[in-house]
Every structure is written in structure tokens, then in C-alpha cells.
Amino acid sequence: MSWCSGLEAICQADVPLRDHTWYGLGGPAAWLVSPRDESELATVLARCTTEKMQWRILGHGANLLVPDDGFQGVVIRLAGEVWERVAFRPPLVEAAAGMDFPKLVKHSLERGLVGLENLAGIPGSVGGVIRQNAGGRYGTIADYVRQVRLLGADGEVQVRAATEMAFAYRSSQLDGGVVVAATLELQTGDSTAALERHRTIWSEKYASQPPVSARSAGCIFKNPPGGAAGRLIDEAGLKGQRCGAAEISTKHANFIVAHPGATTRNVLDLITLAKERVFERTGVQLELEVEVW
Ligand SMILES: Cc1cc2nc3c(=O)[nH]c(=O)nc-3n(C[C@H](O)[C@H](O)[C@H](O)COP(=O)(O)OP(=O)(O)OC[C@H]3O[C@@H](n4cnc5c(N)ncnc54)[C@H](O)[C@@H]3O)c2cc1C
């Protein structure tokens, strides 16, 4: 009996993950599973546990680097109508984990709910944004989260208040669980001014980094305390450095862009080079922001 017996309708074997990541890199997932609702997700997690299958949750792949030989386990994708639901109950917004975050920002602003314009230009799903506590100069998602609904690997649902999520710089505490939905608390306000601020923040962000269409995963490294990873890499003379068809961006040194023909190995080699050169020059150990499977 196959591990996915009874789940055939939602399981696909040997699926290229490059089609599911912003980088467009990486090999196949042994299995790609798309549960249609929370109870199916619980069944999949339980099955992975009993069958001792490694698993990962895939959001929108905007912060992921998948190895060239892929992932030899189960990749779970929260896509489809149920996972993209959103309910507006001003000033609260309840969004399912697969909802596209930029769309959530836009729809909230259109309804006169303001706040998320501060996070303009951050691609990803609601689940991924919460997991990474995504954000930037004008705040992070933690500023708006009121509670998070998690499904533990044991299939138990937990509703956690924001204060129980241990949000920190690009991290949150999920204890191995899956974000299935979140309640955000926004403010009713002047949506015209907020839309204008969204445009300004978006333009400011993309004036200093590669365009949203470039194949990247956003910043590769976290900023070290009191410093900027991009500046350290730039000062190490690495802007424009290439390994194969991957390149440390000439626009922002904390981005590695993948040109046609690049491999994950090329990106990983640039990561190693940047870490080594920055450490030699400054003694700073750069830490990855991007998730490497
Ligand atoms: C052009 C560009 C610009 C970016 N700018 C920013 C920025 O300004 N600030 C910033 O913080 N980030 C930025 N990023 C990175 C990215 O947008 C964020 O990290 C985002 O949160 C990733 O969400 P995702 O759904 O794509 O997650 P994925 O990349 O799919 O996954 C990232 C991690 O989250 C986990 N995950 C995903 N969904 C769930 C879930 N439902 N439950 C539990 N775990 C989950 C995955 O297993 C993985 O470990 C940028 C990326 C790009 C490509």
C-alpha cells in the first residue's frame, strides 16, 4: 500500500518545484499534496507522521531555495478556494493561509482598512508572511496579527494570541505547526492617503532593489545587529559577482538573482562566497534569511 492510499486525488508524484518558487530553481518534490481543507490537511500530516515521511509547507515560494535534486519528501501546498478565503469584519480581517498577501493588502485598503500599506511590495502567502514575520523599514506583520490558527503536526488545532507567537526579526514560533489562518487587526481610516502611502513605499522599495519580476527570494541574509548585510557584501567588493548564471545584484548586494540557466548550486556558491568574504573582512557571521530546503 502506498503512503498516500486514499489520498490519491490530492497527491502528485515527482513535481518540479521550480514552478512553485520565485527563484524558478530546484528539482522535484517526491510528492506534492494539495489538501482541500483543514481536515484533509490534518489527515496528510498524520499520515506523514505514521509513515515517517519528511514534509514541508510550501507558501508562494518567495523565500525559498530548493536544492537542484529537489526534496525527497512530501511538500504540502495550501492552494484553492478554501485556503484563499478572507472575511472583513472591521477592524478585523480573517484570512486563510494561502491568501496572496499583496492581494490582501490591496483588498483591505479598498475597504478602508489601513495599516498593511506599510508592508507594500512583499510577495508571499499569508501563512508564509506570518511564519517569516515578514516586513521592512515600516514594520512587520506582527504589528497587525491578533491571533493565529495553527494545525500541529499531531493534527490538533491551536488558536494562539499574537503574544504567544514569539514574533522576532524574520521569525515566529510555530512549534512545527502549520499556519492555517490568521486574524489581523487593522484600522478604519483614510484609504486614499493609505493607497498613496502604499505607492510611495512600493516605489521606494523597488528603486533600491531588483524588480519584482527578477528571479530572487528577496534578501538572502538577515541584517546583523546594527548593520546591513547588503552594505557588508558590497564593501567586500561582491556586487555583480557571478557563479554560473547566478549573480549578486548590482543594485542591492543582499539579493542574488538567477539569470537563465542558473542552478540552485550557483546561488549556494554565491552564498558561501559572500559569507566567507564578509567574515574575513569584518568578523560578522551572516545568517540566512532565505529558507533552504
Ligand atoms: C522580490 C521579493 C521581495 C521581498 N521583499 C521582502 C521584504 O521586504 N520583507 C520580507 O520580510 N520578505 C521579503 N521577501 C521574502 C518573502 O516575500 C517573504 O519571506 C514571505 O513571507 C514569503 O512567503 P511565502 O508564502 O512565499 O513563503 P515560502 O517562501 O513559500 O515559504 C517560506 C517559509 O515559510 C514556511 N511556510 C509557508 N507557509 C506556511 C504556513 N502556512 N505555515 C507554516 N509555515 C509556512 C515554508 O515552509 C518556508 O519555511 C521578498 C521576496 C521577494 C521575491
Side-chain angles (χ1 to χ4, degrees), residues 130-291:
I130 287 178
R131 158 78 167 72
Q132 301 293 116
N133 188 18
R137 181 175 298 182
Y138 302 105
T140 70
I141 192 65
D143 300 337
Y144 307 97
V145 174
R146 183 186 263 201
Q147 65 180 35
V148 176
R149 186 176 171 88
L150 288 177
L151 196 63
D154 56 2
E156 288 295 308
V157 172
Q158 292 176 34
V159 177
R160 288 196 187 175
T163 48
E164 298 169 302
M165 294 289 296
F167 282 119
Y169 176 48
R170 299 296 171 271
S171 74
S172 63
Q173 186 62 54
L174 304 183
D175 296 320
V178 178
V179 176
V180 291
T183 305
L184 308 182
E185 183 166 356
L186 306 181
Q187 283 186 309
T188 46
D190 178 351
S191 56
T192 310
L195 276 163
E196 187 50 39
R197 182 165 163 77
H198 181 272
R199 258 190 298 276
T200 307
I201 292 175
W202 201 96
S203 307
E204 181 185 291
K205 178 171 158 66
Y206 286 101
S208 64
Q209 67 182 55
V212 78
S213 57
R215 288 165 56 198
S216 82
C219 288
I220 288 285
F221 298 105
K222 294 182 182 179
N223 286 324
R231 190 168 45 74
L232 295 177
I233 299 167
D234 188 6
E235 286 169 0
L238 291 175
K239 262 189 177 170
Q241 177 77 40
R242 281 186 173 232
C243 280
E247 182 185 24
I248 296 185
S249 167
T250 49
K251 203 159 176 192
H252 190 314
N254 200 11
F255 283 66
I256 296 177
V257 290
H259 299 295
T263 62
T264 298
R265 184 73 261 156
N266 296 154
V267 177
L268 289 170
D269 286 347
L270 283 176
I271 287 175
T272 304
L273 182 70
K275 282 181 87 161
E276 283 174 2
R277 290 282 177 83
V278 167
F279 184 71
E280 280 161 20
R281 281 192 80 250
T282 64
V284 172
Q285 288 274 15
L286 289 177
E287 239 184 84
L288 282 181
E289 177 168 327
V290 68
E291 291 272 329

Side-chain angles (χ1 to χ4, degrees), residues 19-91:
D19 300 340
H20 296 279
T21 66
W22 278 65
Y23 252 133
L25 297 177
W31 296 94
L32 182 69
V33 184
S34 308
R36 289 164 291 199
D37 57 26
E38 200 175 288
S39 80
E40 229 167 36
L41 172 61
T43 305
V44 172
L45 293 176
R47 193 69 69 85
C48 288
T49 304
T50 49
E51 299 291 326
K52 298 191 171 48
M53 309 278 286
Q54 278 199 80
W55 59 272
R56 298 276 188 278
I57 293 285
L58 174 68
H60 288 183
N63 200 42
L64 278 186
L65 192 52
V66 175
D68 292 314
D69 60 358
F71 178 69
Q72 315 311 315
V74 178
V75 172
I76 302 170
R77 183 165 162 255
L78 307 182
E81 196 262 322
V82 162
W83 298 110
E84 286 156 32
R85 280 191 189 150
V86 55
F88 294 94
R89 309 186 205 288

